[in-house]
Amino acid sequence: MSIETNNQHWDIFCAVVDNYGDIGVTWRLAQQLANEYQIDINLWVDDLNSFSHILPALEPSQTTQTFNSVTIHQWNVPLDITFVPGAVLIEAFACELPEQVKRHLIALHQSDDETPPVWLNLEYLSAEDWVEGCHGLPSMQASGIEKYFYFPGFTPKTGGLICEKNLFEQRTVWQSDPANKLALFSQLGLSGIDAQDTVISVFSYETEALAALCQQWQESDRKIHALIPKGRSLNSLTHLLPCSVEELTLGQQIVINNLTLHILPMTDQPSFDRLLWSCDFNIVRGEDSFLRAQWAAKPFIWHIYPQEDDYHLIKLEAFIRLYCNNLAPEIAQYWTELTLAFNQEQQSTVRFLWQKLDSVNSAMLQHAQKWPNYALNDADLATRLVQFVKIS
């Protein structure tokens, strides 16, 4: 039986689950593989509407389009076009592959003339110890083909972290001139922010902890600007808003004593990176924003997605232990307790610990600046992934 193949390209399938996290990770990976390794990438996405929020030029009604050297396909059921297997097949975050793709894999496996693609499941990022032992392990599927489990992580025995070439150099150049952040704020329609003001970006889930922090920021002895996109974070601040979240306009300001809330537009990924680089503190959610906050080299809080039986706190504490390595014990305690209190909605504790952490801000900033080089280890995720495929 003759099976049509194209061994020059890779296919990545992504099912959009939490609006921006899953597609954010896969879109960054697809672009890096295409631009730094000259690999032809087909990115199959089931929700182009959500995707378009971080890629505004994307047209959700088009089934196939190309951006940044990546071919993006609408993942309909069944697929609108014939699937042609390539050298590598990646299912992001255990999404279920279409049946016609599985049939192709089985046919290739049964063929004497063709080789099935290297099949990978790109897992979620975790700092837990068990990741090292599971990374790269094969699993025999019912089709008789092996699927490998690829785990991103913070240690040399894991799959690494997404980080584009020259990203840190670009960040350093950006942060060296305050005019860059002021120009970005103006571009985003934000006004009234001076270079010496404290600026905090907020991209969290709903939580009373955010309301508590806003109360603390109102009473600050200096101006604080909280930059918040329309969405889930603002659902926790309705008591501070002059209208419903839906009625807020982009660029709108809500001034409460020394706190000014700014309503942010959604941005593409490069602009989001620059936003994180430009703020003094970042509150982020999801995997993509979590990692980009680390690369920003600024203090941050990770609002991790809640899971049953509080398993998310185990994942959070695993990262905290890693992040606090080589951090002065007192400062590590403040940041650890603040992060956990924010994730457990401990309002009074959050306010108290914010003051404590604010008092050691320079030391926290120094640690945040050193962390990216430590976390990246010897190679980024795309580089390790290409190396893994070569030996598989």
Side-chain angles (χ1 to χ4, degrees):
M1 179 178 180
S2 176
I3 307 297
E4 185 181 4
T5 63
N6 179 352
N7 288 326
Q8 300 305 310
H9 78 263
W10 292 20
D11 291 285
I12 304 175
F13 282 82
C14 175
V16 180
V17 176
D18 65 348
N19 291 332
Y20 312 116
D22 295 351
I23 186 56
V25 170
T26 51
W27 176 228
R28 289 192 193 273
L29 177 61
Q31 292 175 92
Q32 189 178 0
L33 290 170
N35 295 314
E36 296 183 16
Y37 289 94
Q38 289 72 56
I39 299 171
D40 292 334
I41 300 293
N42 290 330
L43 177 58
W44 303 80
V45 183
D46 68 342
D47 184 356
L48 295 184
N49 282 302
S50 290
F51 191 180
S52 67
H53 286 102
I54 61 172
L55 181 58
L58 186 71
E59 176 50 62
S61 63
Q62 291 187 18
T63 57
T64 298
Q65 49 203 304
T66 301
F67 293 94
N68 295 350
S69 301
V70 175
T71 301
I72 300 169
H73 297 292
Q74 170 71 57
W75 174 4
N76 288 325
V77 180
L79 298 179
D80 297 318
I81 60 176
T82 301
F83 176 75
V84 179
V88 176
L89 174 62
I90 299 175
E91 52 183 30
F93 314 116
C95 64
E96 185 70 22
L97 292 177
E99 287 302 319
Q100 64 199 96
V101 172
K102 293 179 182 179
R103 288 195 296 269
H104 268 288
L105 295 179
I106 293 172
L108 284 171
H109 178 66
Q110 294 173 345
S111 171
D112 295 328
D113 302 322
E114 301 290 349
T115 302
V118 177
W119 185 5
L120 302 164
N121 177 25
L122 177 65
E123 292 282 355
Y124 288 98
L125 172 62
S126 177
E128 294 173 275
D129 293 338
W130 60 263
V131 167
E132 288 188 344
C134 294
H135 171 62
L137 292 181
S139 173
M140 185 64 70
Q141 304 301 297
S143 60
I145 307 172
E146 285 188 331
K147 176 169 67 174
Y148 296 91
F149 290 88
Y150 195 92
F151 283 87
F154 295 88
T155 70
K157 294 182 180 180
T158 66
L161 303 166
I162 293 178
C163 184
E164 299 81 6
K165 185 179 181 181
N166 300 326
L167 179 69
F168 294 171
E169 180 182 348
Q170 294 168 9
R171 181 205 65 212
T172 300
V173 170
W174 177 272
Q175 293 177 339
S176 66
D177 186 353
N180 288 325
K181 67 178 182 181
L182 296 179
L184 176 65
F185 296 152
S186 177
Q187 177 187 335
L188 293 174
L190 311 180
S191 59
I193 303 176
D194 296 326
Q196 71 275 12
D197 293 346
T198 298
V199 182
I200 301 168
S201 76
V202 180
F203 185 55
S204 67
Y205 302 109
E206 293 86 351
T207 174
E208 291 302 317
L210 179 58
L213 278 183
C214 284
Q215 181 65 39
Q216 183 65 39
W217 297 338
Q218 292 172 43
E219 301 167 6
S220 172
D221 57 2
R222 62 184 185 276
K223 289 185 177 180
I224 293 182
H225 300 267
L227 315 184
I228 312 178
K230 291 181 70 171
R232 301 186 65 173
S233 299
L234 287 169
N235 293 337
S236 302
L237 304 178
T238 53
H239 62 292
L240 299 178
L241 305 179
C243 57
S244 69
V245 173
E246 292 72 22
E247 294 172 311
L248 293 169
T249 58
L250 302 182
Q252 184 172 346
Q253 298 181 20
I254 299 97
V255 180
I256 313 143
N257 298 325
N258 263 356
L259 169 64
T260 301
L261 304 179
H262 297 260
I263 308 305
L264 269 177
M266 286 296 297
T267 66
D268 59 14
Q269 288 185 325
S271 293
F272 182 69
D273 281 334
R274 292 191 288 269
L275 175 69
L276 297 177
W277 299 349
S278 300
C279 293
D280 300 289
F281 197 98
N282 296 301
I283 299 175
V284 292
R285 75 180 199 227
E287 181 172 323
D288 182 60
S289 301
F290 165 53
L291 187 55
R292 305 317 280 198
Q294 295 172 61
W295 293 163
K298 294 294 183 71
F300 70 97
I301 290 174
W302 179 26
H303 193 193
I304 189 171
Y305 187 77
Q307 293 179 287
E308 289 185 9
D309 300 322
D310 287 339
Y311 181 68
H312 61 291
L313 297 180
I314 296 174
K315 295 173 64 175
L316 179 61
E317 288 168 348
F319 172 73
I320 287 172
R321 286 192 296 272
L322 203 60
Y323 188 75
C324 288
N325 190 28
N326 298 323
L327 186 59
E330 183 181 37
I331 301 172
Q333 180 180 359
Y334 293 156
W335 183 79
T336 297
E337 292 181 357
L338 175 61
T339 299
L340 290 173
F342 188 91
N343 278 275
Q344 295 174 296
E345 301 195 60
Q346 298 171 353
Q347 298 177 62
S348 59
T349 304
V350 163
R351 293 190 60 183
F352 172 76
L353 290 168
W354 178 267
Q355 297 176 71
K356 290 293 186 181
L357 192 65
D358 195 39
S359 68
V360 293
N361 182 64
S362 60
M364 194 69 212
L365 177 59
Q366 289 176 12
H367 177 72
Q369 292 169 339
K370 295 176 182 177
W371 169 255
N373 288 322
Y374 173 81
L376 193 58
N377 286 298
D378 60 340
D380 62 275
L381 187 147
T383 300
R384 295 190 200 187
L385 183 58
V386 170
Q387 294 170 346
F388 181 86
V389 167
K390 285 181 178 179
I391 64 175
S392 298

